Amino acid sequence: MSEYIPTIGLEIHSELKTRTKMFCSSKNDANETRPNVNICPICMAHPGTLPVINAEAVKSVLRVGVALGATLADYTEFDRKNYFYPDLPKGYQLSQYEYPLVSGGELNGIAITRIHLEEDTASSVHTEDPSTSSGQGGVTTIDYNRAGVPLMELVTEPVITSAKQAGDFARELQLLLRTLGASDANMEKGEMRVEANVSVSKGNQLGTKVEIKNLNSFRAMERAVEYEIKRQTALLERGEKVVQETRGWDESKQSTFVQRVKEGSADYRYFPDPDLPSLKLSELPEYSEETLRKSLPELPRERRSRYLALGVKGEDTELYMREPMLGAFFEGVIAGFKGDKSRVVLASNYIANDLVALLRDDEKRDTDYRANMPISARNFSKVIEMLSERKISSRAAKGILAESVKSGRDPEEVARSENLYQMSAGSDFEAVVRSTLATNPSVVADYRAGKLAALEYLVGQSMKATKGAADPSTLRELTLKLIKEA
Ligand code: ADP
Ligand code: MG
């Protein structure tokens, strides 16, 4: 019996980080907490007002298109999508229907259908009446700060085959949008909203799809997709049918539930907005692919391959891509190493293992280090330099690093004041070991008589005398050599 194969297509909305709204000069500020302050007659749809296209928003979407290797539109226009809802002051949403700004392209090997530009709706806040058990009698208030904020919608082809692949795509898009400065793309803040379309089928023909909404995190999205694949497979195996519908994700029950059944597609009576000009982008040099390409920063995939080419481990590379603070720190450290691979790799090992552990050990810093790194890249680099020049042992390096993270002290100063500099060429260690042997003749005799533990004791005494500056293995070798010579 063949298996049911899942198919997933994503629709992802992202609020663009522009100074002003999509069609007026009201501020676009996602962090504004006072309701209804960033509004004006245009985004409140007063009669007689006229919208103006935000060039920054258009450019932002086109840059995303270039980064995805997509085709930019020669010609584009904005359409009215008509429907009634209290969060939509005009009674229609300005969106793009026939002529999206961007078509095609791919991310993580997933084909993209289109990216278009539209405006966000206001946010509705529902409050329940605490005096009634049903919550009935509460009110809904509307905050129009979000009404008219530029919104980019990206639609993928139905070519994703697992929840993990869907999650990876959305995470990679978030990273790209942040890298480009197009959107802050925080899922929890609603700056990025993912809708997943899921179907399962056995043959080449795609099955009936279900659309899942209310996904506030990547985890929730992955769980919802997994749940839906199982639910649909079980239905079909029982000989039942999948109903085309919109479902929500219930976080507490970890299951999807019916929101509404689709009765044919809603008639939005799309038509080109008569108040806005159409755009002939091919006639505007500042929107040309060539100009936009020059404005792109290093893209995530380029940054990844740069790290890998330097010899950085794959998992460390992903850590720097995922954690902006650690990524910026790593950049700061390797900038001084000028492509010296062995130092870069050494630094990466100490960041991904020792430094991350130190930051996590200190509970207060567990969340803090994302905002505030307790050691400077310069100081960290000094530890790596001393280590790679063998001026200090790896054991000393760990201690110095811990001290510098805790107190902010200069690692060279710590090494000096704590006598952790590995004395050069081993000659000074030799003096230490000689003195250990000289002051412990009975232990030396024990070792000669076959007591192996005696050697460890002697090494331990020398370790103490060098305050950990020397590697135990170096001291053990020297001890053996000098006992033999004596
Ligand atoms: P609709 O007309 O219902 O909006 P679209 O064809 O525009 O459907 O597709 C919307 C989204 O659903 C896209 O992301 C697309 O990849 C996805 N999709 C379409 N058909 C399927 C299917 N059978 N299974 C899973 N996803 C699908
Ligand atoms: Mg559609």
Side-chain angles (χ1 to χ4, degrees):
M1 203 178 79
S2 66
E3 297 269 314
Y4 282 98
I5 310 285
T7 299
I8 302 136
L10 300 176
E11 294 170 284
I12 305 181
H13 285 91
S14 310
E15 283 179 357
L16 297 179
K17 209 167 119 181
T18 52
R19 273 175 306 110
T20 57
K21 291 190 182 180
M22 189 60 228
F23 299 107
C24 65
S25 56
S26 289
K27 247 173 99 183
N28 170 16
D29 180 4
N31 296 318
E32 177 56 69
T33 51
R34 298 165 301 164
N36 299 313
V37 293
N38 293 326
I39 57 174
C40 76
I42 297 174
C43 55
M44 293 307 289
H46 289 193
T49 55
L50 282 175
V52 176
I53 298 170
N54 183 335
E56 197 191 349
V58 172
K59 210 168 250 180
S60 189
V61 171
L62 292 174
R63 287 174 90 235
V64 174
V66 174
L68 294 171
T71 304
L72 310 187
D74 291 334
Y75 171 91
T76 189
E77 62 187 27
F78 287 91
D79 300 285
R80 291 187 181 183
K81 179 180 179 178
N82 298 279
Y83 68 99
F84 174 79
Y85 204 73
D87 65 10
L88 192 67
K90 289 197 284 284
Y92 57 85
Q93 179 190 30
L94 285 170
S95 181
Q96 298 192 294
Y97 189 56
E98 292 261 13
Y99 301 97
L101 275 172
V102 170
S103 318
E106 59 86 23
L107 185 66
N108 279 6
I110 308 295
I112 290 155
T113 312
R114 57 185 273 155
I115 309 177
H116 69 251
L117 187 51
E118 56 190 33
E119 57 180 336
D120 209 347
T121 58
S123 26
S124 308
V125 185
H126 309 287
T127 54
E128 289 178 358
D129 182 348
S131 66
T132 60
S133 58
S134 65
Q136 260 183 11
V139 293
T140 295
T141 54
I142 300 187
D143 177 2
Y144 287 96
N145 286 340
R146 205 182 69 180
V149 162
L151 202 58
M152 174 194 116
E153 179 175 356
L154 178 149
V155 182
T156 77
E157 290 289 300
V159 291
I160 298 168
T161 54
S162 72
K164 163 98 175 39
Q165 205 181 30
D168 287 347
F169 178 91
R171 283 190 193 89
E172 190 66 11
L173 180 66
Q174 181 187 58
L175 190 59
L176 180 70
L177 294 175
R178 288 177 173 174
T179 304
L180 293 173
S183 172
D184 285 335
N186 282 313
M187 292 272 280
E188 318 76 57
K189 284 191 180 172
E191 291 162 344
M192 180 166 168
R193 294 166 231 154
V194 181
E195 286 155 27
N197 298 273
V198 182
S199 68
V200 302
S201 74
K202 272 189 176 171
N204 289 328
Q205 201 121 7
L206 293 181
T208 302
K209 75 172 151 79
V210 162
E211 184 179 354
I212 320 170
K213 291 187 187 256
N214 298 354
L215 303 168
N216 312 329
S217 69
F218 295 121
R219 288 290 294 150
M221 194 258 273
E222 289 170 349
R223 295 231 174 103
V225 169
E226 265 160 28
Y227 179 90
E228 202 46 40
I229 293 169
K230 283 198 191 120
R231 189 187 69 86
Q232 293 180 19
T233 303
L235 271 177
L236 296 176
E237 276 171 354
R238 286 201 302 270
E240 292 172 40
K241 282 206 168 109
V242 173
V243 178
Q244 180 166 347
E245 62 197 3
T246 302
R247 298 176 75 91
W249 172 244
D250 186 329
E251 189 64 51
S252 59
K253 290 192 188 134
Q254 293 284 302
S255 62
T256 62
F257 61 91
V258 188
Q259 280 187 326
R260 62 189 156 85
V261 178
K262 212 159 190 167
E263 301 132 353
S265 64
D267 183 4
Y268 292 119
R269 294 171 291 122
Y270 280 101
F271 64 88
D273 187 279
D275 293 336
L276 288 168
S278 56
L279 300 176
K280 293 191 182 62
L281 294 171
S282 48
E283 291 170 11
L284 303 168
E286 70 267 39
Y287 294 101
S288 78
E289 192 173 324
E290 208 186 311
T291 309
L292 294 166
R293 189 179 301 283
K294 285 191 196 124
S295 79
L296 296 184
E298 182 182 39
L299 299 176
R301 66 182 144 79
E302 296 166 337
R303 191 170 153 212
R304 234 181 232 118
S305 30
R306 178 163 58 88
Y307 289 174
L308 295 174
L310 280 167
V312 178
K313 279 189 255 167
E315 67 188 276
D316 293 2
T317 297
E318 289 314 310
L319 176 70
Y320 305 137
M321 304 298 293
R322 210 172 54 235
E323 300 280 355
M325 206 55 213
L326 284 177
F329 184 76
F330 179 63
E331 283 291 334
V333 168
I334 66 173
F337 293 162
K338 310 233 172 356
D340 177 340
K341 281 195 194 180
S342 70
R343 282 190 191 191
V344 170
V345 171
L346 193 59
S348 185
N349 288 342
Y350 271 76
I351 292 174
N353 300 312
D354 301 87
L355 185 57
V356 165
L358 284 169
L359 299 169
R360 295 234 164 93
D361 274 353
D362 188 336
E363 270 183 59
K364 282 199 301 289
R365 290 210 172 102
D366 182 35
T367 49
D368 243 356
Y369 80 88
R370 284 149 221 270
N372 189 8
M373 188 63 82
I375 180 171
S376 69
R378 184 71 206 105
N379 275 351
F380 181 86
S381 301
K382 283 183 183 176
V383 178
I384 301 303
E385 277 158 17
M386 291 191 287
L387 185 60
S388 97
E389 286 163 14
R390 294 181 203 286
K391 287 183 181 162
I392 55 172
S393 68
S394 57
R395 174 193 280 238
K398 289 177 202 295
I400 294 170
L401 184 60
E403 175 59 26
S404 199
V405 164
K406 200 173 88 193
S407 65
R409 279 170 74 194
D410 181 324
E412 288 174 346
E413 187 263 312
V414 176
R416 214 175 307 118
S417 74
E418 318 251 320
N419 253 323
L420 294 171
Y421 274 120
Q422 199 148 251
M423 298 148 239
S424 60
S427 60
D428 294 38
F429 289 151
E430 215 170 293
V432 171
V433 174
R434 269 185 211 288
S435 129
T436 303
L437 297 183
T439 48
N440 295 284
S442 61
V443 185
V444 175
D446 282 351
Y447 176 71
R448 289 217 158 98
K451 234 172 121 183
L452 292 178
L455 177 66
E456 294 314 312
Y457 175 80
L458 293 169
V459 172
Q461 291 305 107
S462 299
M463 281 293 288
K464 233 186 245 169
T466 60
K467 299 206 174 92
D471 278 317
S473 60
T474 310
L475 291 175
R476 185 172 294 110
E477 257 170 54
L478 266 174
T479 306
L480 283 170
K481 186 180 124 203
L482 294 178
I483 289 177
K484 221 183 264 171
E485 280 173 13

